[in-house]
């Protein structure tokens, strides 16, 4: 689908998510504990998606491919090798921010 107000129900029901490597899409999927295959758009300039995908792949959290290797990736994937993505710790950021602005 081209646009949907929320993917929450689709993510909840998914056994595998195949997505571009946008930060929001990746983090929302990983926070739900779903296996994720990210497909890199190699035509983007200054490709921040590539950087994020590589980092998540190095950490063992996602499968990473491009359009031409997607089928091969899906055929050879072993989802048991993926590591859970650690939950965020917003309280640590809040403490850091408090220090920076002088609230502590």
């Amino acid at each position: 689908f081209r646009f949907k107000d929320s993917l929450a129900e689709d993510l909840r029901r998914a056994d595998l998510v195949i997505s571009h490597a946008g930060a929001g899409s990746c983090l929302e999927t990983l926070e739900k504990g779903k296996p994720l295959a990210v497909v890199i758009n190699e035509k983007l300039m200054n490709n921040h998606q590539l950087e994020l995908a590589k980092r998540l792949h190095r950490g063992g959290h996602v499968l990473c491919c491009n359009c031409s290797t997607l089928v091969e990736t899906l055929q050879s994937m072993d989802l048991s090798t993926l590591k859970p993505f650690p939950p965020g710790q917003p309280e640590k950021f809040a403490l850091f921010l408090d220090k920076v602005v002088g609230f502590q």
Side-chain angles (χ1 to χ4, degrees):
F1 35 79
R2 292 177 60 79
F3 177 79
K4 195 169 187 179
D5 287 334
S6 173
L7 296 175
E9 181 60 22
D10 298 291
L11 286 175
R12 187 188 68 72
R13 293 189 343 243
D15 293 320
L16 170 69
V17 175
I18 301 170
S19 176
H20 72 139
S25 299
C26 290
L27 294 177
E28 185 175 4
T29 301
L30 292 171
E31 286 172 353
K32 300 274 189 270
K34 299 296 179 168
L36 174 61
V38 292
V39 181
I40 304 303
N41 181 348
E42 296 172 320
K43 295 178 182 176
L44 292 177
M45 293 177 57
N46 301 320
N47 198 346
H48 65 280
Q49 287 190 12
L50 178 60
E51 294 172 27
L52 176 62
K54 282 185 174 183
R55 179 64 183 102
L56 291 172
H57 181 71
R58 275 195 312 269
H61 305 294
V62 303
L63 303 170
C64 187
C65 61
N66 57 39
C67 289
S68 63
T69 61
L70 176 59
V71 172
E72 178 186 335
T73 299
L74 295 176
Q75 289 173 337
S76 65
M77 69 183 178
D78 180 358
L79 298 179
S80 70
T81 63
L82 295 178
K83 298 176 185 173
F85 190 71
Q89 297 176 321
E91 63 282 350
K92 285 188 175 182
F93 179 71
L95 289 171
F96 167 77
L97 196 55
D98 284 349
K99 253 185 206 179
V100 169
V101 296
F103 291 144
Q104 259 186 340

